[in-house]
Amino acid sequence: MSKLQFSNRAKRFFVTALSLTLVLACDGSGGGLGMLTSNTDVTPPVVTTTSPTSGQSGVSGLSTIVATFNESLDPTSVTTSTFLVTLSSSGAAVAGTVSFNSSSLQAIFIPTSTLLPNTNYTVTLTTGMKDAAGNALASNNVFTFTTAP
């Protein structure tokens, strides 16, 4: 076997081995090389805005309560057990339905009945809310508001 043939075989072997290594290193997310970089999301979701805002007064009794996040949540983690609305004076729960809108990144609470006038409410978004990677809120997010007379 000539040196040229050996050299070509060695080059083909090296290219094949390198290609196989790169293929095996892919992490399956379509985002790069799993062995060389990490695409693991370890950052908890964050509430960026709420409506009503914390401390707001004069809120309509017909209002929905909305929390906007910095990333998408696992919709199954947004429930009436993780999005709590209570009367501030007694802690009594307000009945309602909860949903998550993935396009607007909003958790939405719709009260079953009109909120009482001139009443303080407390909203608690618990650490049971998680993003798609399973990261929970770092701590409960609590805010209050008061309805109009």
Side-chain angles (χ1 to χ4, degrees):
M1 172 183 317
S2 73
K3 283 186 178 183
L4 183 58
Q5 288 175 327
F6 178 77
S7 178
N8 284 339
R9 283 186 182 174
K11 285 179 187 176
R12 282 195 307 264
F13 175 78
F14 176 76
V15 169
T16 301
L18 179 61
S19 298
L20 182 59
T21 301
L22 291 174
V23 167
L24 293 176
C26 288
D27 63 1
S29 70
L33 303 175
M35 288 174 55
L36 302 177
T37 62
S38 175
N39 292 333
T40 304
D41 175 5
V42 295
T43 306
V46 175
V47 177
T48 57
T49 61
T50 62
S51 178
T53 59
S54 186
Q56 184 175 344
S57 59
V59 175
S60 169
L62 300 173
S63 294
T64 59
I65 302 160
V66 178
T68 304
F69 291 82
N70 67 329
E71 64 178 315
S72 192
L73 299 182
D74 173 356
T76 64
S77 75
V78 182
T79 68
T80 54
S81 297
T82 61
F83 194 139
L84 309 169
V85 180
T86 59
L87 291 168
S88 297
S89 60
S90 67
V94 174
T97 59
V98 177
S99 63
F100 185 74
N101 182 320
S102 59
S103 61
S104 64
L105 305 179
Q106 293 180 326
I108 303 162
F109 180 94
I110 302 172
T112 303
S113 58
T114 303
L115 299 175
L116 299 172
N118 203 31
T119 302
N120 294 323
Y121 288 91
T122 300
V123 178
T124 304
L125 308 171
T126 76
T127 57
M129 288 187 174
K130 298 178 181 182
D131 66 14
N135 302 306
L137 287 175
S139 61
N140 288 351
N141 183 295
V142 180
F143 62 98
T144 61
F145 66 91
T146 305
T147 52

